[in-house]
Amino acid sequence: MPERSEANAKEATQNFSKKEQNPITDNGDSKSKSGITFAAQDKLPKLPIPDLEATCKRYLSSLDPLQTAREHHESERAVDEFLKTDGPGLQEKLKSYAEGQTSYIEQFWYDSYLNFDNPVVLNLNPFFLLEDDPTPARNNQVTRAASLVISALSFVRAVRKEELPPDMIRNQPLCMYQYSRMFGTARIPTESGCQIGQDPNAKHVVVLCRGQFYWFDCMDDNHDLIMTEKDVSLNLQVIVNDAEETPIQDAARGALGVLSTENRKIWSSLRDLLGKDEGSNNSDCLNIVDSALFILCLDYTEPKSSSDLCMNMLCGTSEVEKGVQIGTCTNRWYDKLQIIVCKNGSAGINFEHTGVDGHTVLRFASDVYTDTILRFAKSINGLAPSLWHSTSPDPSKRDPESFGDVNTTPHKLEWDMVPELATALRFAETRLADLIGQNEFATLEFMSYGKNFMTSMGFSPDAFVQMAYQAAYYGMYGRMESQYEPAMTKTFFHGRTEAIRPVTEESVKFVRTFWGENPAEQKIETLRKACEKHTAITKECAKAQGHDRHLYALMSLWQRQVDADYSIETSTSRDPYSSSTNGGWNSPTGEHEADPNSSQVSSPNRSSMLNDESGLAPSTSPPRNGQHSLPSIFADAGWDKINNTILSTSNCGNPSLRQFGFGPTSGDGFGIGYIIKDGSVSICASSKHRQTKRFIDAIEAYFIEIRKLLRQGHRRGKSEDKGASRAREAEENRPRGQRLKSRGRVIGADVATGKTPQDESGVASDDEMGGYGFFDAGMLQAALKSKEEGERAEKVAPRREVGKRLRLMEY
């Protein structure tokens, strides 16, 4: 096998033609060379294990801004002891373990997800909200759903035929393994943790409508589409009509999808009940759902606001009528990839997060959205380009015998509702309604500026927005908290993410300067330094040189030894918590998967690695017996502090998405998904009723205020928008005195910058700090400083009497 390196991976991709690398430039050449999708897999470099001392240094640096001097001193002592005792030994064990693995972190990663026992809804599964179809006539449910299904199937075909061009960053191919795990995949709960099951030859989709299940085949054994968009539309309309014949209250009582929202062990026992008799009706129905390419959810509601739409895509709506749940929360199956389409055509994606990250599903969502537009364009102009290098033969012109054994007519799954299932369904629904009621959502679609303005001012857009979260939170609560952002590491073989810790000494200095009575220049300078630091950390994490994943792997190895010793003491044959020994449903660790009889035992159940788009709060697991003391670095309070993520953030999106989000990371935290577009920023925040709308308003106010500060120091005449014509600059430089071209009064925007007219001070007429305008930021900073230093409040002068003094009546 060739050596794994970035250069060899890049060369493997460049061996394919430009048309194969970018099919959209191809106008109809159906000849394709399969294999480009995974061409670089065997040459991608393996995820490197960072140096232990460097990891510990980064860890302490991330902790410092969150701690008092005394707390940080204790953490330094714990780290120093770790480096002298347990650390080096664990590091050597990790290096030895990694030699036989695809990645040193991968198995621990899967275990952390699959051993999670709480409901996946609102805890693990993220969502995407797609933009509406640009052709309004197509924004009705059946038409939009059929279009999305055809585009999704075309994507599946491209993956299976290995014609999907690989993801690239600066001409460097990324790992494409996750795409092989997207379709026909299901999360299967068992008594000893979940498993990932997959039918790689799945060719049917399951449709959920009013809680009722339907299915039909849509691909053949050669992975070609066997239905046109018109055929799919007809099927979906028939399904909707059939589902509406059952009163919503009656349908809700048999909406088995709600069981997928249960605690995983409870769901496992209920699945055992459904599938206990192999070949029975319920067992067959369950297998059809599990093995489907994906789930299509047709909702009967029409959410109007952005926050309601986000809620619907993440967890569904909860609406109880006459004691029966009739909300869309029962019209879901959270163990699989779901495409959700509302009555008015609004659409989104909810995905099971174990095997795929947001970046992977974003590519799927983007390509699906793009394909719907290009197919519509092709119906107008046959020369319009296609997103795919090759397409399926026209189903309407194929020989019927060529389709093979397929069922294109919709079939309704009719479950046998035994009393135990009916009771379990009722309890699952009430628990889900509780869970939905415990969370709230707020969105911001900030249209005043976006990426173009930020970059024109010399800032990294992501770093710029990350500082907004810190400043807004500090303005509300007067303190810095642990913040998290994932960085993609797919430049490595089976790479997933590394954790960025955005709170730094530089960001703390900026936030305190921003809220103090300081000149605009000083505020902007500290912002610039904070953003530069954030960008530097992001680059390190993208190279897998962070501290979170490395330390988590070391803790997992320590836990593995504890579990092994505990297993010997109790004479057990295998670790009951391991997901890698569950009846053949191994975690998807790839072609170099380790022997199940090796030391693949589970890692601690929850960790900071679950803070990606899923938003889980981490915790450490105590040792199983008294013979093993927790390594000092993990026993220190700093480990819990940094892993108790209050602001869990993720930047994932492009113009095909309207919103992206996930549930809150902890009871006192926020889950923040955001998309930075050229001229806007979209944010979806969730929390367990922590004044989410107020927090969103604070972020918006910060954006307005920081723009005002930037404009004060911005050189007049320089365009703020990269998309603006430079003809304005030519006009500004044109010699004066040309009679005809100088006539008239200049109106509207600043001709040089495109800005709105400014007041006499040179500052744009933005509002002040919105909700913060009622107090002086300097007073806030002074109060906070006084609190931090423990100063006593100064004595105040005796209060004078104000107002008319009333006489007490004498009795």
Side-chain angles (χ1 to χ4, degrees):
M1 179 183 294
E3 180 184 355
R4 290 187 177 276
S5 69
E6 290 187 358
N8 285 341
K10 186 175 181 179
E11 181 183 355
T13 303
Q14 290 177 340
N15 286 335
F16 290 80
S17 69
K18 292 296 183 183
K19 287 184 178 181
E20 288 162 329
Q21 294 179 43
N22 186 18
I24 200 168
T25 63
D26 180 13
N27 273 337
D29 181 8
S30 61
K31 296 181 180 179
S32 63
K33 176 182 174 184
S34 63
I36 190 173
T37 305
F38 305 107
Q41 289 299 101
D42 291 338
K43 301 174 183 64
L44 289 170
K46 289 185 66 173
L47 195 73
I49 299 176
D51 176 74
L52 181 60
E53 289 191 10
T55 287
C56 290
K57 184 178 180 180
R58 294 187 188 101
Y59 170 69
L60 287 173
S61 179
S62 296
L63 263 181
D64 194 13
L66 305 174
Q67 295 178 308
T68 64
R70 177 177 295 180
E71 289 172 340
H72 193 64
H73 179 65
E74 290 298 318
S75 292
E76 288 177 327
R77 287 176 53 187
V79 168
D80 186 58
E81 180 183 343
F82 177 71
L83 287 172
K84 293 177 180 178
T85 55
D86 300 292
L90 287 173
Q91 177 79 344
E92 290 306 311
K93 288 181 180 179
L94 184 61
K95 289 180 179 178
S96 177
Y97 163 82
E99 289 179 0
Q101 305 295 319
T102 53
S103 159
Y104 79 86
I105 192 66
E106 186 171 34
Q107 186 61 47
F108 303 136
W109 181 286
Y110 285 118
D111 288 345
S112 64
Y113 276 98
L114 296 174
N115 290 335
F116 183 71
D117 192 44
N118 288 333
V120 295
V121 60
L122 282 164
N123 288 315
L124 287 182
N125 289 27
F127 79 90
F128 289 146
L129 175 62
L130 296 173
E131 286 285 4
D132 290 340
D133 194 298
T135 51
R138 296 167 62 82
N139 277 314
N140 65 78
Q141 186 176 52
V142 169
T143 304
R144 183 84 192 276
S147 179
L148 292 173
V149 166
I150 290 295
S151 295
L153 294 173
S154 298
F155 188 93
V156 174
R157 180 183 184 276
V159 171
R160 288 182 170 179
K161 289 184 175 290
E162 300 186 18
E163 295 177 359
L164 185 73
D167 296 327
M168 307 282 279
I169 291 184
R170 292 181 292 276
N171 293 322
Q172 186 66 43
L174 305 183
C175 181
M176 296 291 285
Y177 173 66
Q178 293 180 30
Y179 292 95
S180 68
R181 307 296 302 187
M182 281 188 69
F183 306 105
T185 304
R187 182 187 181 107
I188 311 293
T190 73
E191 187 62 28
S192 56
C194 290
Q195 309 157 353
I196 296 296
Q198 182 179 30
D199 180 357
N201 298 310
K203 55 185 183 182
H204 68 279
V205 297
V206 165
V207 181
L208 271 168
C209 187
R210 294 180 176 244
Q212 300 164 77
F213 292 75
Y214 303 83
W215 71 274
F216 56 88
D217 287 328
C218 44
M219 303 186 84
D220 62 18
D221 293 333
N222 196 39
H223 312 307
D224 286 324
L225 280 65
I226 61 174
M227 303 184 76
T228 64
E229 183 175 338
K230 184 177 181 180
D231 294 328
V232 175
S233 294
L234 179 61
N235 274 10
L236 297 184
Q237 190 60 62
V238 168
I239 287 172
V240 170
N241 293 343
D242 182 83
E244 289 177 347
E245 291 180 4
T246 304
I248 188 71
Q249 289 84 1
D250 294 341
R253 294 187 179 94
L256 255 69
V258 75
L259 297 180
S260 67
T261 70
E262 263 287 14
N263 172 286
R264 303 309 290 179
K265 287 186 178 179
I266 294 176
W267 179 207
S268 171
S269 64
L270 293 172
R271 282 183 61 99
D272 289 342
L273 179 63
L274 283 167
K276 64 179 179 179
D277 298 322
E278 187 173 348
S280 66
N281 177 58
N282 281 350
S283 177
D284 288 346
C285 289
L286 192 58
N287 287 334
I288 287 173
V289 175
D290 286 338
S291 62
L293 286 165
F294 53 83
I295 306 289
L296 173 66
C297 304
L298 300 178
D299 290 348
Y300 74 94
T301 59
E302 299 184 17
K304 301 298 183 183
S305 69
S306 178
S307 59
D308 286 345
L309 275 168
C310 290
M311 177 181 180
N312 189 63
M313 300 305 169
L314 182 62
C315 58
T317 60
S318 176
E319 182 181 352
V320 178
E321 186 176 287
K322 298 179 179 179
V324 178
Q325 176 65 256
I326 61 170
T328 61
C329 62
T330 63
N331 197 48
R332 301 285 186 271
W333 191 273
Y334 287 100
D335 290 338
K336 292 182 67 66
L337 173 69
Q338 302 176 95
I339 297 176
I340 303 166
V341 185
C342 301
K343 191 70 175 177
N344 59 0
S346 296
I349 296 171
N350 184 293
F351 59 99
E352 204 286 314
H353 195 16
T354 303
V356 293
D357 295 318
H359 180 270
T360 302
V361 185
L362 174 62
R363 168 74 183 277
F364 168 67
S366 302
D367 282 7
V368 165
Y369 186 81
T370 303
D371 184 59
T372 60
I373 298 172
L374 292 177
R375 282 190 296 104
F376 180 69
K378 205 170 187 68
S379 69
I380 300 172
N381 184 339
L383 296 179
S386 170
L387 191 61
W388 319 113
H389 198 283
S390 70
T391 56
S392 300
D394 187 345
S396 65
K397 298 177 182 179
R398 286 178 59 178
D399 181 351
E401 296 296 325
S402 68
F403 293 109
D405 183 18
V406 294
N407 287 290
T408 57
T409 303
H411 289 65
K412 183 176 184 177
L413 298 181
E414 297 181 324
W415 308 83
D416 297 329
M417 291 299 295
V418 296
E420 298 95 325
L421 278 179
T423 301
L425 192 151
R426 184 179 66 191
F427 292 152
E429 179 276 308
T430 55
R431 292 190 187 101
L432 175 60
D434 276 348
L435 188 59
I436 293 174
Q438 291 163 11
N439 293 269
E440 65 176 3
F441 308 88
T443 60
L444 171 64
E445 297 189 32
F446 185 74
M447 305 303 293
S448 297
Y449 62 86
K451 176 183 176 181
N452 288 344
F453 172 78
M454 298 171 196
T455 54
S456 72
M457 293 293 174
F459 293 98
S460 155
D462 183 70
F464 187 93
V465 174
Q466 283 288 328
M467 295 308 119
Y469 301 143
Q470 295 184 43
Y473 191 91
Y474 191 88
M476 285 180 66
Y477 297 104
R479 62 180 183 269
M480 306 297 291
E481 297 281 14
S482 179
Q483 189 166 331
Y484 173 95
E485 179 188 7
M488 182 181 64
T489 57
K490 287 172 67 177
T491 54
F492 301 99
F493 185 54
H494 283 221
R496 297 289 298 255
T497 62
E498 178 57 82
I500 303 169
R501 294 297 176 177
V503 178
T504 62
E505 291 183 9
E506 289 82 358
S507 73
V508 171
K509 184 176 181 180
F510 158 65
V511 167
R512 290 177 175 169
T513 302
F514 175 79
W515 285 106
E517 291 183 324
N518 299 298
E521 294 80 5
Q522 186 178 349
K523 294 180 180 182
I524 296 307
E525 182 59 26
T526 54
L527 172 62
R528 198 170 300 281
K529 290 181 178 179
C531 288
E532 289 172 354
K533 179 66 173 181
H534 182 86
T535 301
I537 293 175
T538 300
K539 289 179 179 178
E540 283 187 351
C541 290
K543 296 177 181 177
Q545 296 300 309
H547 62 78
D548 273 65
R549 304 299 185 250
H550 186 198
L551 289 177
Y552 179 77
L554 294 175
M555 186 177 74
S556 298
L557 278 179
W558 173 85
Q559 182 71 61
R560 170 171 293 190
Q561 183 60 53
V562 173
D563 289 343
D565 291 348
Y566 179 79
S567 177
I568 293 173
E569 291 173 7
T570 55
S571 299
T572 55
S573 60
R574 67 176 179 88
D575 182 5
Y577 297 93
S578 174
S579 65
S580 62
T581 56
N582 284 326
W585 290 92
N586 292 346
S587 298
T589 51
E591 58 270 31
H592 298 109
E593 187 170 23
D595 186 339
N597 295 319
S598 69
S599 56
Q600 295 219 16
V601 294
S602 73
S603 49
N605 288 345
R606 304 178 73 185
S607 73
S608 61
M609 68 165 42
L610 293 181
N611 273 315
D612 285 324
E613 296 83 9
S614 57
L616 265 182
S619 66
T620 55
S621 299
R624 292 190 184 278
N625 55 50
Q627 296 181 1
H628 296 271
S629 59
L630 194 64
S632 57
I633 192 172
F634 307 126
D636 176 60
W639 179 255
D640 291 333
K641 177 179 281 289
I642 201 168
N643 285 314
N644 182 29
T645 304
I646 302 302
L647 297 176
S648 183
T649 70
S650 185
N651 176 6
C652 188
N654 59 32
S656 70
L657 300 187
R658 181 174 171 185
Q659 289 286 359
F660 150 69
F662 46 90
T665 62
S666 60
D668 54 351
F670 292 91
I672 306 169
Y674 60 106
I675 304 169
I676 306 174
K677 301 179 182 179
D678 286 348
S680 63
V681 181
S682 298
I683 300 174
C684 176
S686 63
S687 79
K688 295 187 181 297
H689 294 279
R690 275 205 65 188
Q691 303 186 85
T692 313
K693 178 63 168 61
R694 187 177 183 182
F695 181 52
I696 283 290
D697 290 344
I699 295 171
E700 181 179 25
Y702 167 85
F703 280 145
I704 294 172
E705 176 70 6
I706 204 68
R707 179 178 64 175
K708 184 177 72 173
L709 295 177
L710 286 166
R711 281 178 167 174
Q712 286 184 35
H714 188 53
R715 179 171 61 86
R716 181 180 176 86
K718 182 178 179 180
S719 176
E720 293 178 355
D721 189 346
K722 287 186 176 181
S725 169
R726 299 195 65 185
R728 296 191 186 280
E729 295 180 33
E731 179 181 350
E732 184 73 9
N733 296 329
R734 177 172 52 79
R736 302 301 176 189
Q738 296 183 24
R739 180 173 175 274
L740 291 178
K741 291 191 176 182
S742 301
R743 290 295 186 190
R745 177 173 59 88
V746 176
I747 62 172
D750 186 310
V751 295
T753 66
K755 295 186 294 187
T756 54
Q758 296 179 325
D759 58 26
E760 294 180 0
S761 66
V763 179
S765 57
D766 291 330
D767 293 332
E768 295 297 327
M769 281 298 290
Y772 294 121
F774 67 89
F775 67 79
D776 179 77
M779 294 172 60
L780 170 67
Q781 180 64 16
L784 293 170
K785 183 176 180 181
S786 175
K787 178 181 178 182
E788 291 170 1
E789 296 177 354
E791 296 177 350
R792 292 182 177 274
E794 296 180 1
K795 292 183 179 180
V796 295
R799 183 175 57 191
R800 65 186 182 89
E801 293 186 4
V802 179
K804 177 182 178 182
R805 181 171 181 168
L806 302 182
R807 295 179 59 185
L808 298 177
M809 296 181 63
E810 298 180 0
Y811 291 94

